[in-house]
Amino acid sequence: MATKPAPSARKTVAYLRVSTLDQDLEKNKADILQFANHHDLGKVHFVEEIASGRKPWRERLIAQVLEELRGNDAIIVAELSRLGRSMLECMEILALATRKGICVYSVKGNWQLDHSIQSKIIALAFSMAAEIERDLISQRTKEALRFKKDQGITLGRPKGPGKSKLDPFRPEIESLLANGSTQKFIAQRYHTTEANLHNWLKKRGMKTTKTDTPA
């Protein structure tokens, strides 16, 4: 009969994805420590990350955590939504954790994904749902692109000068040019190169001047 691994034999990581708006970080830590103690999960190693909700999970620290952890190790989160930016991402992470034998615990709802049969069934459902969701997203994207193409809409990035950090300063730059300032002087003033300034002026149909520093 298999025995439950001792707390010292497993590694427990508490993953905290935070933003500058989060005010309950210390409370989340306290709740996680209390949860770990109640479930006899041993010492908790905190991994904190300030990450935008737009950043895919494979480019965040949670991917590194999943890579380093092994079977019987554990991940604790304050709530499951902190794992990913969408339900699809959460399902992918939970499915991967199950395949590696990593237990996942959520303080909110006292939820856990461990080695029980029920958890394995849930993880299988997550994996299937994630695959179906990926297929649906791919299908919707292809259909949207096909519709645009049928309507004669040009696909891809529209041609044009694009945005530049110099755009907000256009009125000032135009005034400097009108008063005889050189490109070298203007480039230094706005922390860019002469070549970049020259291209910016050219793309926006503005006159160019000599690059010599004014006397």
Side-chain angles (χ1 to χ4, degrees):
M1 181 177 179
T3 58
K4 183 179 179 181
S8 59
R10 78 180 339 174
K11 182 177 181 179
T12 300
V13 173
Y15 174 72
L16 295 170
R17 178 169 64 86
V18 301
S19 71
T20 54
L21 298 178
D22 285 322
Q23 302 295 328
D24 298 325
L25 182 58
E26 294 304 318
K27 182 180 183 302
N28 286 341
K29 286 184 177 181
D31 291 342
I32 286 173
L33 289 173
Q34 183 178 1
F35 181 93
N37 183 62
H38 178 73
H39 289 271
D40 199 22
L41 297 178
K43 181 179 179 181
V44 177
H45 303 270
F46 284 93
V47 173
E48 299 177 27
E49 177 175 32
I50 299 177
S52 167
R54 297 180 180 180
K55 195 173 183 180
W57 75 266
R58 288 184 175 84
E59 297 177 11
R60 293 191 278 107
L61 286 180
I62 186 62
Q64 182 179 334
V65 170
L66 287 168
E67 175 67 24
E68 294 176 353
L69 293 184
R70 298 293 180 262
N72 293 326
D73 289 341
I75 298 175
I76 308 177
V77 289
E79 55 183 274
L80 287 177
S81 63
R82 307 315 293 172
L83 285 174
R85 59 179 181 168
S86 66
M87 179 60 72
L88 174 59
E89 284 199 348
C90 290
M91 289 188 295
E92 288 178 339
I93 292 170
L94 292 172
L96 176 57
T98 301
R99 287 197 298 271
K100 294 191 65 175
I102 300 169
C103 299
V104 181
Y105 298 87
S106 171
V107 175
K108 185 176 181 179
N110 194 27
W111 190 91
Q112 63 186 62
L113 184 67
D114 52 22
H115 303 301
S116 66
I117 295 298
Q118 293 87 345
S119 292
K120 291 179 179 179
I121 293 174
I122 292 173
L124 178 61
F126 280 146
S127 182
M128 293 177 63
E131 184 175 353
I132 292 171
E133 181 65 15
R134 282 194 298 271
D135 290 342
L136 289 174
I137 291 174
S138 176
Q139 182 179 347
R140 288 195 295 266
T141 301
K142 290 178 181 178
E143 289 176 350
L145 292 174
R146 189 182 301 113
F147 175 78
K148 289 184 177 180
K149 187 175 182 180
D150 292 343
Q151 296 298 311
I153 301 174
T154 303
L155 303 179
R157 180 180 293 181
K159 295 181 179 180
K163 293 183 178 181
S164 169
K165 67 178 183 179
L166 295 174
D167 288 342
F169 306 105
R170 178 165 181 166
E172 298 175 19
I173 294 174
E174 288 179 330
S175 296
L176 289 170
L177 289 171
N179 283 281
S181 296
T182 64
Q183 289 184 39
K184 183 175 183 179
F185 172 80
I186 296 173
Q188 291 175 344
R189 179 182 177 90
Y190 295 102
H191 307 289
T192 189
T193 64
E194 293 179 61
N196 184 54
L197 175 64
H198 181 82
N199 291 334
W200 181 80
L201 294 170
K202 187 176 180 180
K203 288 179 180 179
R204 282 153 182 75
M206 300 167 64
K207 71 174 183 176
T208 59
T209 61
K210 296 180 180 180
T211 58
D212 297 328
T213 305

